[in-house]
Amino acid sequence: MSPVALSWLAAWLALNVATVLVFAYDKAIAGGTRRRVPERTLLTLALLGGSPGALLAMALFRHKTAKAAFRRAMMAIVALQVIVLGLFYLSR
């Protein structure tokens, strides 16, 4: 694997770890007095490439799973990413 590809993979993995940690933090402070992480931030992390981490965190922590609008937005992000990756793969 080329150094550039390894750098991209490392960045993607770091983004996904960060996404899981942000979801975990938001779940941990839910119901308390601290200010929550905005849903827009959680969805932005997923859109930037952290969707595997977001889906893992949602399942692992049972976080944001009851909010239908959030689930729909996550599934739209995942669908968009699958389509973009598919088009990228087919164009090669």
Side-chain angles (χ1 to χ4, degrees), residues 51-64:
S51 57
L55 293 172
L56 175 66
M58 287 174 69
L60 195 62
F61 307 126
R62 293 189 181 106
H63 190 48
K64 299 291 186 186

Side-chain angles (χ1 to χ4, degrees), residues 1-82:
M1 189 177 277
S2 75
V4 172
L6 282 174
S7 295
W8 277 104
L9 179 61
W12 180 76
L13 288 172
L15 174 63
N16 277 277
V17 169
T19 301
V20 170
L21 293 174
V22 172
F23 269 77
Y25 171 76
D26 190 50
K27 177 66 175 188
I29 64 171
T33 58
R34 291 188 198 168
R35 186 175 176 155
R36 300 279 306 274
V37 177
E39 287 185 2
R40 175 179 276 180
T41 300
L42 299 175
L43 291 170
T44 299
L45 287 168
L47 183 63
L48 292 174
S51 57
L55 293 172
L56 175 66
M58 287 174 69
L60 195 62
F61 307 126
R62 293 189 181 106
H63 190 48
K64 299 291 186 186
T65 56
K67 296 193 82 174
F70 189 86
R71 281 194 332 267
R72 280 193 302 274
M74 273 300 303
M75 290 307 110
I77 288 169
V78 170
L80 175 66
Q81 290 173 340
V82 167

